[in-house]
Amino acid sequence: MAVIARSRPAAVSDRRRPTPDIILFVAMVALSAVGVLMVYSASRTRLEALGMDPTGEMVDQAIFAAAGLVLFFVASFIDYREWRNIAPFLYIATVLALGAVFLFAPGSARAQRWIPIGSYQIQPAEFAKMTMIMVLATVLVPAKEEGMSWRRLVQTIVVVAIPAVLIYMEPDLGTMLVFAFFTLVMLFVGGTTLRQLTVLMTAAGAGILAIWKLELLLPYQIERLQSIFNPSAADPLGAAYNRIQSEIAIGSGGIFGKGLFLGTQTNLDFVPAQTTDFIFTAVGEQLGFVGGALVLLAYAVIMWRLVVIAVNARDRYGVLVVTGIAAMFAFHVYINIGMTVGIAPVTGLPLPFMSAGGSTFVTMAIALGIANSVWLRRSPVPGETYIV
Amino acid sequence: MKLSWRLTWMVLVFVAMFGVLFTRLWFVQVAAGETYDRQADNQNVSIIRTLAPRGNIIDRDGIPLATSTLEPWIAVDRKQIPLEDEERVIQQLSGLLELAAVEVSAAFEDAGSGARFLLAAVDTKAEFYVLEHQDELPGVGIEEVPVRRYPQSDVMAHVLGHIGRPSPGDLEENPNLDPNSTVGKSGVERYYDESLQGTPGFVANQVNAAGKVLKPLDERATRAGATLQLTTDIDAQRVLEDALQEGVDLANQVKWATGEYTNLAERSAGVVMDVTDGSILAMGSYPDFDPGLFVSGLTQREFDVLLERKVFSNLAIQALYPPASTFKAITYTAAVEKRLFPDGTLSADDLIECSARLNAPFTDASQLVWRNWTWPNDDGYQDLHTAFERSCNIYFWQIALRIWNDFKGTELENVIQDWARAVGMGERTGIDLPYEAQGIVPDRELFAEWGDEQPWRVRPEGWLGGDLMQTAVGQGAVLSTPLQLATAYATLANGGTFWQPRIVQRSFDTDGQLINEYEPVAVRDIGIAPATVQALLGDMRRVVTAGTAASAFSDMGADAYRVGGKTGTAQMGQECEGVGEERVCKDRDNTAWFAGVTPIDNPRYVVVVVVEEGGSGGRVAAPVARHIMQYLLGLEPTAISDPKVEGD
């Protein structure tokens, strides 16, 4: 923890000329660059086979990345405390957008997650992660630092439950789990007692059991969750296929990998969704353990910076927002990479800054931009005290 | 500003999450990387194997006995069949092959998902249908598959053996074996499986997940297995096999005529071997089977019926019977070579009385009264030569008594048995066929061993004089395969060289180039005095011209003087089933033997015939052997008919 605490003198000395968190930014740009490259390596053979421009998917991703970087700065310039003022509007907009996907549902399609805008599709659930973090922080700020009232706890749960249920109905189990995770972390940091936490966890456990027993999960969701516990017993071409294939691809990469563009598994279509959910298999197979560990290190650096920002935030709202961002980020990285190496269920959570897709990239960039905004405004106004 | 305990815990959770990811990544890529690497190779490389045709088997004149032909089969590659089309493809194949859909479906299941397998043989019409409807039948193709054919059907079936899918044991022993291939299960097919197998070919392609070929990686052409040339002669084999079947018919005909029998005869076996080098000219076992049945597939029921009849056993090398009086040639030569004649005689020409019965002077538990086969009549005074011709047990028992009295308890008491082993009894001959039986030549040591390990087989007193007397006439515990008896007679007839019997003489590659010449192997030479050999051969001639087989050989007229042999009528003891009070025992009829040599003045072939529970050797086995020897001499074989005279 020394590395986190030691940043205090700098926080004070930077008071007059605040500089953005360069390390955070560099780590994000590096990941984006590797991501664009990986999307290219994993999509070019398939696109070529289809007679399309092999760089097509890569160019799209590069555009998203560029847009994301711009939005990072935009979010940095906006005083994060402004969000607190418009929290009710953010919340309403989020719920409406989540409801709207059902209007654009193409008939009997299984998943209804997108709102079409031009030739692109927006996933409101991605943006909802960020807006809900801001809304939750707003709700939790007035809570007592130690020992939250039961009333506030219930209030928080109700606030998060409405969009969570909408997302569940899409259905998007992964995003719902993200909501659950950052809510839990924010409640903990926000001051719940251990007893409240215990009650909450018990209730959650009972809820999961109820969902299981009442068969509210779709069969494919159950299969995917089950496949993590016993992949080989399941039909290797069925539910466990994705998991096994990605594990094989990553494992076959070895220490140094097969070399860029030389990944047989990713290039030969064995790994499904290889540019989106399973982009990390392209890293693991082509760049090996060394490449994978470096990517993991870059994510760890981002986590480290987020914690430093949370510790140095000037107010309780800042602490809660950055805590939520850190939780969301950590959960995405853990579940996504964990799924590709066989220790997490296949729930379809993208890998921040690497998985092909605009909505996620933009959401994550804005999230880090907001964290950076907290960092830029960490120095207290005279007379104001830190509230942590 | 402080790092609160709450944030500290949150950080710890994050650290733990990243720690788990890092550790797992290390495990998957570094610790277990190789395993995954192999799996990856298995997936993106598709290897299509082509089975190698098994090598041909030909007789000594090049006549094909087993061949391989290429025939069209339906090959199914499940990887290439879209899942949603599979059911329809199965239905279509079921109609095309006139097979129940469940059977086709079961074949798919057995092969496993994503597997490539051979479904069934097809006729030309179905072959064209498949080739013309490729778009309707994705993943279904035609492959030319080598199929074993036996042009002579059941002739020489036991020698050739049969083939089948590799058993789990075979696959464990040889991991390179293709489960779709065939391996030899018996006979030459099994013994020489490695030579016959050939090398399967393959085409390795890099494929994508949909099974589409991206680029060829490697290929190897198939190489057919070696062609094996046997020492056997198809014509001699036919004569032998027909004669063996007729021998069984003759035995049953005699049984009906005399009314003296418990069981009908069902089985017979015979061997014709070259005494100069151990080559097998013919080897037969009745009943037989068509090895082609195993190619098209037998139902379990069909197989069980055949198994019940013991048709798969090559009785010539697998069946054990007491050699009975045929063993007297061994006792005879041992007596002459070691100069051990009955008490009161000094040479083979001295006479003793061949009485109806012998009272043995034993004080141990041995049998005291021994009846000659002529009982209740006696058979006059005989020397060794006449005793052999007339198969007089008394004379040979007296030889055993002489040995027992003089050498009991010393190494010399085994003089007969040691001689028997030297000429090939009691141990496997080493013929190049699988599953050969060992046979038994008993002595004091063996009985002691049995007394310890299998006490129900022997009397508690152990080895006694009576046991030696039994051994001297090939009864008691002595057991021999027809082939062992043939090697014994060959060794006696050629002056003492034990040639290891052999069935394969050469192997060739597909271009007809010689690969291997299997030289005859002389295992040992015990050097029998020429005078002894001449005496034995002369007495064997007396057996067929004046002795126990004279009636059976009367058809040959003066040509009977060109051959010789010895009859044997083995007492079989009881056949018992079950244990304890449920144990039921049944008498068995005598087993008929004949061991012959032809031509007798310059031995070339030994002929051994056995008819299991066939009755008298002189009446049943001798006519069969005579028929075969007529053929071997280039004479017109006369019918195998009842000579109406019993002969031991």
Side-chain angles (χ1 to χ4, degrees):
Chain A
M1 295 303 141
V3 85
I4 298 163
R6 209 177 288 136
S7 59
R8 193 158 70 97
V12 176
S13 65
D14 278 352
R15 177 177 178 178
R16 268 187 294 172
R17 280 194 310 132
T19 51
D21 192 332
I22 300 296
I23 302 176
L24 180 75
F25 183 70
V26 167
M28 174 184 145
V29 170
L31 283 170
S32 309
V34 175
V36 168
L37 193 59
M38 286 301 122
V39 166
Y40 178 56
S41 82
S43 64
R44 72 194 172 97
T45 19
R46 180 165 42 85
L47 293 173
E48 236 165 19
L50 292 170
M52 293 161 70
D53 178 7
T55 60
E57 203 166 339
M58 175 191 77
V59 169
D60 274 359
Q61 182 66 6
I63 292 169
F64 294 143
L69 296 185
V70 170
L71 287 170
F72 173 85
F73 285 108
V74 171
S76 298
F77 286 126
I78 299 170
D79 188 336
Y80 67 96
R81 287 165 295 192
E82 297 295 333
W83 299 109
R84 197 179 157 184
N85 301 332
I86 59 162
F89 303 105
L90 277 180
Y91 186 67
I92 291 165
T94 301
V95 172
L96 287 179
L98 287 172
V101 294
F102 296 100
L103 300 177
F104 299 100
S108 60
R110 190 165 65 180
Q112 303 147 341
R113 298 178 185 168
W114 298 275
I115 296 174
I117 294 180
S119 62
Y120 291 103
Q121 291 177 315
I122 303 268
Q123 281 196 59
E126 294 302 317
F127 298 105
K129 290 170 195 166
M130 199 52 239
T131 54
M132 282 309 297
I133 287 171
M134 253 108 63
V135 169
L136 272 189
T138 311
V139 174
L140 287 174
V141 164
K144 271 199 284 181
E145 282 176 44
E146 285 296 332
M148 186 183 291
S149 70
W150 283 98
R151 187 169 163 229
R152 187 161 302 277
L153 180 63
V154 172
Q155 198 181 10
T156 313
I157 302 292
V158 170
V159 163
V160 80
I162 294 169
V165 165
L166 284 172
I167 286 169
Y168 169 76
M169 283 162 56
E170 284 186 3
D172 186 348
L173 188 63
T175 304
M176 201 186 82
L177 291 174
V178 177
F179 271 51
F181 187 74
F182 71 64
T183 304
L184 198 66
V185 172
M186 287 174 78
L187 280 170
F188 175 67
V189 174
T192 46
T193 61
L194 284 179
R195 193 163 146 222
Q196 286 170 325
L197 218 54
T198 314
V199 169
L200 196 61
M201 300 290 268
T202 314
I208 289 169
L209 201 68
I211 285 171
W212 198 270
K213 287 287 171 205
L214 298 175
E215 294 170 2
L216 293 174
L217 286 177
L218 292 173
Y220 86 96
Q221 290 175 322
I222 294 174
E223 263 182 45
R224 280 180 176 186
L225 286 172
Q226 278 173 331
S227 79
I228 183 176
F229 301 115
N230 196 1
S232 49
D235 179 3
L237 291 175
Y241 177 81
N242 299 354
R243 257 177 51 77
I244 293 172
Q245 288 300 344
S246 92
E247 213 176 306
I248 289 173
I250 292 176
S252 66
I255 298 179
F256 299 107
K258 296 175 183 169
L260 194 59
F261 303 134
L262 297 174
T264 53
Q265 300 300 101
T266 36
N267 287 347
L268 301 181
D269 284 350
F270 283 99
V271 178
Q274 41 191 304
T275 60
T276 55
D277 293 355
F278 284 91
I279 189 72
F280 189 75
T281 58
V283 177
E285 189 186 14
Q286 300 181 104
L287 306 179
F289 176 67
V290 173
L294 282 175
V295 166
L296 213 52
L297 181 70
Y299 285 119
V301 165
I302 290 177
M303 289 305 300
W304 164 56
R305 291 315 303 169
L306 288 176
V307 171
V308 169
I309 294 170
V311 170
N312 288 290
R314 70 181 301 168
D315 53 18
R316 192 171 149 80
Y317 181 69
V319 172
L320 286 168
V321 165
V322 178
T323 302
I325 291 170
M328 168 183 77
F329 205 80
F331 194 75
H332 267 267
V333 171
Y334 179 81
I335 294 293
N336 181 284
I337 296 183
M339 141 185 110
T340 63
V341 293
I343 51 170
V346 179
T347 47
L349 282 184
L351 188 59
F353 304 126
M354 294 193 70
S355 289
S359 298
T360 316
F361 198 105
V362 165
T363 306
M364 291 296 168
I366 292 173
L368 291 198
I370 290 170
N372 191 36
S373 171
V374 175
W375 174 251
L376 287 168
R377 292 161 184 83
R378 65 191 178 278
S379 299
V381 175
E384 206 175 60
T385 51
Y386 283 108
I387 308 160
V388 173
Chain B
M1 192 209 65
K2 61 184 191 296
L3 189 61
S4 73
W5 70 269
R6 287 178 185 273
L7 281 178
T8 306
W9 273 104
M10 181 188 80
V11 169
L12 287 176
V13 168
F14 293 161
V15 168
M17 286 163 75
F18 274 70
V20 166
L21 282 186
F22 183 84
T23 311
R24 176 68 183 177
L25 197 61
W26 181 86
F27 172 78
V28 168
Q29 298 198 277
V30 182
E34 271 179 44
T35 321
Y36 289 109
D37 200 20
R38 222 171 307 125
Q39 290 186 25
D41 281 351
N42 285 347
Q43 283 192 328
N44 59 45
V45 177
S46 134
I47 298 178
I48 296 176
R49 288 169 211 284
T50 40
L51 299 172
R54 281 180 83 78
N56 295 339
I57 303 176
I58 56 177
D59 90 337
R60 63 187 209 163
D61 299 320
I63 295 167
L65 305 173
T67 58
S68 288
T69 54
L70 290 174
E71 294 171 17
W73 278 60
I74 285 192
V76 177
D77 190 348
R78 285 188 74 179
K79 242 190 230 156
Q80 309 254 24
I81 309 180
L83 218 54
E84 62 272 19
D85 288 346
E86 195 163 274
E87 194 48 47
R88 183 181 55 77
V89 170
I90 287 175
Q91 290 297 339
Q92 220 159 329
L93 286 174
S94 147
L96 186 64
L97 298 168
E98 289 168 11
L99 266 173
V102 284
E103 277 180 57
V104 179
S105 193
F108 273 60
E109 286 297 307
D110 289 348
S113 61
R116 187 174 185 286
F117 64 102
L118 295 171
L119 180 63
V122 284
D123 55 21
T124 322
K125 208 178 116 199
E127 181 186 354
F128 280 121
Y129 183 88
V130 170
L131 294 175
E132 284 165 9
H133 295 75
Q134 279 295 290
D135 45 336
E136 282 175 39
L137 294 166
V140 177
I142 295 292
E143 191 177 317
E144 297 287 316
V145 177
V147 177
R148 198 58 155 169
R149 292 288 173 222
Y150 298 93
Q152 317 292 340
S153 77
D154 58 354
V155 179
M156 223 182 289
H158 291 101
V159 169
L160 296 175
H162 70 272
I163 57 168
R165 294 268 173 263
S167 67
D170 294 333
L171 290 172
E172 206 166 289
E173 221 169 273
N174 182 359
N176 294 328
L177 219 52
D178 185 337
N180 277 327
S181 68
T182 51
V183 295
K185 295 285 187 183
S186 65
V188 170
E189 293 274 29
R190 181 183 178 92
Y191 197 92
Y192 288 94
D193 193 45
E194 218 171 294
S195 310
L196 290 167
Q197 275 287 344
T199 320
F202 65 81
V203 179
N205 288 315
Q206 189 164 57
V207 296
N208 66 11
K212 186 169 169 276
V213 173
L214 301 178
K215 65 170 183 198
L217 293 175
D218 196 5
E219 70 181 298
R220 183 177 76 193
T222 57
R223 223 181 56 222
T227 295
L228 296 180
Q229 183 180 25
L230 306 188
T231 60
T232 53
D233 176 80
I234 186 79
D235 298 320
Q237 180 74 23
R238 281 215 177 85
V239 170
L240 171 68
E241 287 185 15
D242 292 347
L244 288 175
Q245 183 174 356
E246 284 182 52
V248 170
D249 294 343
L250 172 61
N252 291 328
Q253 190 187 319
V254 170
K255 287 177 187 216
W256 280 109
T258 58
E260 293 168 15
Y261 69 96
T262 313
N263 303 309
L264 288 178
E266 288 171 359
R267 288 183 273 277
S268 56
V271 176
V272 179
M273 192 173 94
D274 190 328
V275 305
T276 63
D277 68 355
S279 298
I280 302 291
L281 186 73
M283 175 184 278
S285 181
Y286 176 85
D288 58 17
F289 65 100
D290 181 352
L293 289 176
F294 288 92
V295 177
S296 49
L298 275 170
T299 66
Q300 188 64 39
R301 205 185 128 70
E302 286 168 327
F303 181 79
D304 288 343
V305 167
L306 291 172
L307 196 66
E308 177 71 16
R309 291 180 61 208
K310 293 190 186 166
V311 304
F312 302 124
S313 298
N314 183 355
L315 302 176
I317 60 167
Q318 288 174 256
L320 289 168
Y321 310 101
S325 300
T326 57
F327 192 85
K328 284 172 183 163
I330 293 167
T331 308
Y332 175 113
T333 42
V336 173
E337 285 284 293
K338 310 295 178 190
R339 307 207 54 76
L340 294 166
F341 300 107
D343 271 338
T345 64
L346 293 172
S347 77
D349 302 323
D350 292 343
L351 304 170
I352 65 164
E353 187 188 5
C354 187
S355 48
R357 62 174 215 184
L358 171 70
N359 294 314
F362 290 123
T363 53
D364 54 25
S366 293
Q367 183 183 333
L368 294 175
V369 179
W370 299 69
R371 288 176 181 170
N372 192 19
W373 69 276
T374 56
W375 191 88
N377 306 314
D378 62 20
D379 210 22
Y381 282 81
Q382 300 183 354
D383 61 4
L384 176 61
H385 309 293
T386 315
F388 188 79
E389 172 199 324
R390 309 268 318 132
S391 203
C392 172
N393 287 343
I394 306 294
Y395 193 100
F396 290 88
W397 283 330
Q398 290 283 11
I399 294 175
L401 278 174
R402 162 80 196 281
I403 294 169
W404 184 254
N405 291 335
D406 289 5
F407 307 120
K408 168 175 48 178
T410 71
E411 276 179 29
L412 282 171
E413 77 170 358
N414 292 334
V415 62
I416 294 175
Q417 295 96 311
D418 289 344
W419 187 253
R421 290 186 195 111
V423 298
M425 309 289 278
E427 60 183 58
R428 293 189 180 87
T429 64
I431 188 171
D432 42 352
L433 287 174
Y435 310 125
E436 189 187 5
Q438 189 178 358
I440 295 170
V441 175
D443 57 14
R444 188 183 295 277
E445 210 179 312
L446 180 71
F447 269 44
E449 199 180 294
W450 282 355
D452 289 340
E453 289 163 15
Q454 310 170 44
W456 64 90
R457 283 183 85 156
V458 284
R459 268 183 267 97
E461 292 85 359
W463 182 251
L464 297 176
D467 296 315
L468 184 62
M469 287 174 71
Q470 293 273 31
T471 302
V473 296
Q475 285 287 166
V478 189
L479 289 176
S480 169
T481 64
L483 178 66
Q484 279 176 326
L485 195 67
T487 58
Y489 270 69
T491 306
L492 295 174
N494 69 23
T497 305
F498 176 80
W499 292 97
Q500 184 174 305
R502 64 193 195 120
I503 203 93
V504 171
Q505 53 174 331
R506 289 188 198 98
S507 59
F508 302 95
D509 65 18
T510 40
D511 301 325
Q513 294 295 311
L514 186 70
I515 300 175
N516 203 348
E517 176 96 41
Y518 298 88
E519 299 287 347
V521 179
V523 177
R524 59 184 164 262
D525 187 351
I526 55 171
I528 308 171
T532 310
V533 175
Q534 285 314 313
L536 176 70
L537 294 175
D539 292 341
M540 284 168 72
R541 176 176 9 222
R542 282 171 63 180
V543 169
V544 300
T545 54
T548 51
S551 305
F553 280 74
S554 60
D555 277 2
M556 283 180 79
D559 284 325
Y561 287 87
R562 297 170 63 189
V563 298
K566 180 72 191 83
T567 55
T569 306
Q571 291 160 21
M572 295 286 284
Q574 289 184 315
E575 182 179 30
C576 298
E577 273 178 13
V579 282
E581 294 191 5
E582 308 243 319
R583 194 169 168 82
V584 182
C585 290
K586 201 170 78 171
D587 283 339
R588 283 190 288 183
D589 291 335
N590 291 338
T591 284
W593 281 99
F594 190 87
V597 174
T598 180
I600 197 70
D601 43 9
N602 181 22
R604 178 69 200 274
Y605 294 113
V606 48
V607 177
V608 168
V609 168
V610 65
V611 181
E612 186 180 316
E613 294 196 59
S616 157
R619 191 164 179 177
V620 173
V624 177
R626 183 257 302 147
H627 184 88
I628 296 162
M629 292 200 282
Q630 283 174 317
Y631 169 81
L632 292 172
L633 284 173
L635 307 169
E636 182 62 36
T638 51
I640 297 171
S641 55
D642 183 5
K644 303 215 167 67
V645 178
E646 299 276 318
D648 179 46

